[in-house]
């Protein structure tokens, strides 16, 4: 008689058992994988937190420098604002980014701040008009720079 043809009774069934080599309900590989996943998530979180803190510090320092320039005479104030933009461009875009001049520098500033303030707006004076005789509205320029730096992300 073939054993397949004989139905098994309940008393002949074998008890439940864990796969080979498992001594307990929690296996070492599962614990190691969970621990590595947790550590990876923690590392990613710390990196993101550090980057956001660095950006906030950069934004705070730039806004503080912009506020310090408000007490200067008009020509020195305009020059201080242009230097601040150069340093921001170098910090955020690299050394090659800050070497641009004229319309190219204005376009790069517009890309950095996601605006057209430096190519079409009053910010043109900071990109290519520092040595021209003109009387820009420094308070409006200052407030717009403050707004742009305040929403800086990167």
């Amino acid at each position: 008689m073939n054993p397949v043809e004989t139905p098994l009774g309940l008393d002949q069934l074998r008890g439940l058992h864990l796969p080979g080599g498992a001594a307990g309900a929690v296996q070492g590989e599962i614990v190691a994988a969970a621990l590595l996943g947790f550590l990876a998530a923690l590392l990613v979180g710390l990196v993101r937190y550090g980057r956001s803190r660095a950006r906030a510090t950069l934004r705070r320092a730039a806004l503080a420098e912009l506020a310090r320039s408000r007490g200067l005479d008009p020509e020195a104030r305009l020059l201080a604002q242009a230097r601040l933009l150069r340093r921001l461009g170098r910090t955020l875009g690299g050394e090659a980014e800050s070497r641009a001049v004229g319309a190219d520098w204005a376009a790069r500033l517009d890309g950095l701040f996601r605006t057209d303030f430096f190519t079409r707006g009053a910010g043109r004076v900071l990109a290519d008009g520092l040595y021209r005789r003109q009387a820009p509205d420094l308070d409006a320029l200052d407030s717009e720079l403050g707004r742009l730096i305040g929403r800086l992300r990167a």
Side-chain angles (χ1 to χ4, degrees), residues 35 41 43-44 46 73 90 92:
L35 186 60
L43 182 64
V44 167
L46 287 174
D73 65 331
R90 186 179 323 115
L92 297 173

Side-chain angles (χ1 to χ4, degrees), residues 106-134:
R108 290 183 185 201
L109 283 174
D110 281 344
L112 181 68
F113 290 104
R114 296 182 183 101
T115 185
D116 64 350
F117 178 67
F118 299 100
T119 53
R120 295 188 181 135
R124 282 188 312 216
V125 70
L126 292 168
D128 63 356
L130 290 176
Y131 301 108
R132 295 182 187 162
R133 288 225 171 252
Q134 55 194 347

Side-chain angles (χ1 to χ4, degrees), residues 1-13:
M1 181 178 254
N2 199 354
V4 175
E5 296 174 6
T6 309
L8 296 174
L10 289 178
D11 58 339
Q12 294 175 333
L13 292 177

Side-chain angles (χ1 to χ4, degrees), residues 27-34:
Q27 295 179 346
E29 294 89 11
I30 295 173
V31 171

